[in-house]
Amino acid sequence: MALHLGRLSAGSCWRASRGGRRGLCSWPGRCAAARICRPPGAAGTEQCRGLGHIPTAGGGPRLGTRLTTALAGLAGLAGLAAAAFGHVERAEMVPRSTGARSPSSGRPEEDDDELTRRCSCFMAPPVTDLRELRGRPSDMKTKMELLILETQAQVCQALAQVDGGARFSVDRWERKEGGGGISCVLQDGHVFEKAGVSISVVHGNLSEEAAKQMRSRGKVLKTKDGKLPFSAMGVSSVIHPKNPHAPTIHFNYRYFEIEEADGNKQWWFGGGCDLTPTYLNQEDAIHFHRTLKEACDKHGPDLYPKFKKWCDDYFFIVHRGERRGIGGIFFDDLDSPSKEEVFRFVQSCAQAVVPSYIPLVKKHHDDSFTPQEKLWQQLRRGRYVEFNLLYDRGTKFGLFTPGSRIESILMSLPLTARWEYMHSPPENSKEAEILEVLRHPRDWVR
């Protein structure tokens, strides 16, 4: 079941139509850009250890370090928990009428409330019923779901405005075991070859195998009748422009929570944002990294350098001896100093996506290029595919786990790519210049 979205403007709000066509239509209310779709704030601050401090249990890695990292890229989002945590029951598309609910209950007082107005700007209604969201406004699951929906809408609006004629396919899916997601994909646009922005909000019970993996990392988890409830949600995106002088971007922000038999909850956040240019443009690299650094610096001066290095280390194509791109930030398993503080950090990072990237696309999407430069772009796309299929832990976990939603997992791959036998660029060429940076990462801002 797919919806199609025509050209979006930055000043328009959108909602699912209630008629039989199930299109997306213009909403005449106030718009996301100014107020309604602004990511929600969070009150309260806990003074304790700095953001990014990751404790260990018994000297070993803490609870979800590698399991949550397996969600890097969110494994395509649709099979988030099913794929990455050993939940092997099949996640299926179900008819819209069997579980998804309309944006409001139809009562005038609810139609006018703030939550309904905010939701009118999303690409589709929230995965969680509005009555449940209203009933727990301070719960982190509510805050994170609204943040990822707003991020998805803001990014899609910005992309559609730049493309100037794009149509997003809006695929709302439901997971019968609990939750669902919204995948927005643009293909063969004027500016973008492929752009996907997806969200997932899923819940259920972790499999015993997943619980054992967590315990093996030093955590004692109290199950009830062998069950361990979990909730997981996130937004993930990969954007591939057509022009080889416009860079590819990837971002992902996610939240995971488990509840033990005694009611104790374990939680953590993860995510990041990284840039993959075909050709090096130092001004672009500085702009991108400076924007991310400014977002990080609001929450501590040590965060950007720590997460920048983590990003360089993670996106490493071992068999090529080079990074996938020029980096950005990457973090996982963040659970201190407090849930609210980490959420505000993630919120700042999500808000940095559009200003870090859209100016670069606007700058370069009309640049002239040669057939040779287009060929080099296709070869670099091949490297992107190699990393995602061979090394990305979320993708691998998803592909080899029954019940995963393969289309969403592979959403990150470009439409076109190329491999040539023993290809090597000439010395001192623009192609050799970017390879040098990929093999020896630089510090772009201080």
Side-chain angles (χ1 to χ4, degrees):
M1 161 167 58
L3 308 176
H4 289 282
L5 180 65
R7 185 173 180 178
L8 285 167
S9 67
S12 299
C13 294
W14 301 86
R15 64 182 172 90
S17 64
R18 302 189 188 194
R21 293 181 58 192
R22 288 182 182 172
L24 291 182
C25 56
S26 180
W27 178 259
R30 287 171 292 174
C31 173
R35 175 172 176 267
I36 302 304
C37 287
R38 185 175 62 244
T45 302
E46 178 181 337
Q47 298 296 330
C48 59
R49 291 171 295 185
L51 184 66
H53 175 83
I54 304 176
T56 58
R62 87 168 281 317
L63 176 56
T65 301
R66 288 181 173 80
L67 281 177
T68 345
T69 304
L71 296 178
L74 217 55
L77 293 159
L80 173 65
F85 289 86
H87 186 79
V88 298
E89 297 176 26
R90 183 170 180 76
E92 298 178 355
M93 295 282 289
V94 298
R96 177 71 170 82
S97 61
T98 63
R101 299 171 173 85
S102 62
S104 78
S105 65
R107 294 199 297 271
E109 64 271 21
E110 290 188 346
D111 287 342
D112 292 336
D113 72 17
E114 177 74 9
L115 180 59
T116 301
R117 291 196 299 269
R118 285 172 62 185
C119 293
S120 72
C121 295
F122 299 160
M123 301 301 286
V127 175
T128 304
D129 181 67
L130 287 191
R131 288 170 295 184
E132 182 175 348
L133 294 177
R134 287 190 184 98
R136 49 175 171 85
S138 299
D139 190 282
M140 185 53 65
K141 294 190 292 293
T142 298
K143 294 180 179 181
M144 191 65 180
E145 182 169 354
L146 294 178
L147 174 61
I148 62 178
L149 284 161
E150 288 168 340
T151 301
Q152 180 186 54
Q154 290 166 355
V155 172
C156 286
Q157 289 172 10
L159 295 175
Q161 185 181 48
V162 171
D163 197 273
R167 290 177 61 84
F168 272 94
S169 172
V170 180
D171 180 13
R172 182 188 176 97
W173 54 272
E174 294 181 10
R175 177 177 175 269
K176 64 181 182 180
E177 298 87 356
I182 303 162
S183 297
C184 301
V185 181
L186 176 158
Q187 293 187 151
D188 282 324
H190 294 167
V191 172
F192 301 104
E193 178 181 290
K194 186 178 181 183
V197 190
S198 294
I199 69 102
S200 175
V201 180
V202 296
H203 56 85
N205 288 301
L206 287 180
S207 68
E208 182 59 30
E209 178 184 354
K212 287 180 180 178
Q213 291 177 353
M214 289 186 173
R215 291 190 185 99
S216 72
R217 278 145 178 94
K219 227 30 179 177
V220 177
L221 302 176
K222 306 179 185 70
T223 61
K224 183 177 182 180
D225 299 326
K227 296 181 179 180
L228 193 62
F230 78 94
S231 297
M233 60 198 66
V235 58
S236 185
S237 176
V238 178
I239 302 163
H240 297 288
K242 289 184 172 180
N243 195 301
H245 296 292
T248 287
I249 191 176
H250 157 260
F251 71 87
N252 164 265
Y253 295 105
R254 57 195 180 272
Y255 173 71
F256 193 89
E257 183 177 286
I258 61 172
E259 183 174 350
E260 298 178 278
D262 60 2
N264 181 52
K265 292 183 178 180
Q266 301 283 349
W267 59 267
W268 59 89
F269 292 84
C273 184
D274 59 281
L275 197 70
T276 303
T278 301
Y279 289 96
L280 180 64
N281 183 300
Q282 296 200 36
E283 289 183 358
D284 293 353
I286 292 171
H287 168 82
F288 180 77
H289 279 267
R290 178 181 291 133
T291 306
L292 297 186
K293 183 178 184 298
E294 289 172 353
C296 291
D297 285 352
K298 296 175 182 178
H299 306 272
D302 61 325
L303 298 182
Y304 169 77
K306 178 190 300 184
F307 298 153
K308 193 268 186 188
K309 183 180 186 305
W310 200 341
C311 186
D312 289 337
D313 293 342
Y314 178 77
F315 291 104
F316 182 61
I317 308 174
V318 178
H319 64 280
R320 299 288 188 180
E322 60 193 45
R323 276 76 186 168
R324 188 177 75 176
I326 62 169
I329 58 172
F330 178 88
F331 57 91
D332 207 353
D333 204 28
L334 291 189
D335 61 359
S336 66
S338 72
K339 189 181 295 186
E340 294 293 343
E341 179 59 25
V342 182
F343 172 73
R344 286 194 290 270
F345 168 67
V346 170
Q347 183 183 68
S348 295
C349 292
Q351 290 174 329
V353 171
V354 169
S356 72
Y357 180 64
I358 295 299
L360 308 184
V361 179
K362 289 181 176 180
K363 177 181 175 182
H364 294 294
H365 71 82
D366 283 331
D367 287 0
S368 61
F369 58 87
T370 66
Q372 181 62 32
E373 289 171 333
K374 187 65 178 179
L375 172 66
W376 179 246
Q377 180 195 51
Q378 297 302 295
L379 292 170
R380 295 311 308 171
R381 292 262 178 87
R383 297 292 202 269
Y384 205 96
V385 172
E386 288 176 24
F387 176 85
N388 282 24
L389 295 183
L390 296 178
Y391 298 109
D392 186 77
R393 285 167 280 189
T395 301
K396 289 172 63 178
F397 225 117
L399 289 176
F400 291 104
T401 301
S404 300
R405 195 166 186 266
I406 302 301
E407 287 300 316
S408 292
I409 293 172
L410 299 182
M411 183 194 72
S412 64
L413 301 182
L415 282 183
T416 59
R418 184 181 178 93
W419 286 263
E420 287 189 3
Y421 181 71
M422 296 295 289
H423 183 276
S424 181
E427 292 185 9
N428 301 318
S429 64
K430 293 185 298 180
E431 292 79 13
E433 179 185 32
I434 186 68
L435 277 182
E436 175 64 21
V437 173
L438 299 179
R439 290 166 180 166
H440 303 96
R442 295 181 186 175
D443 291 328
W444 299 102
V445 293
R446 297 186 182 278

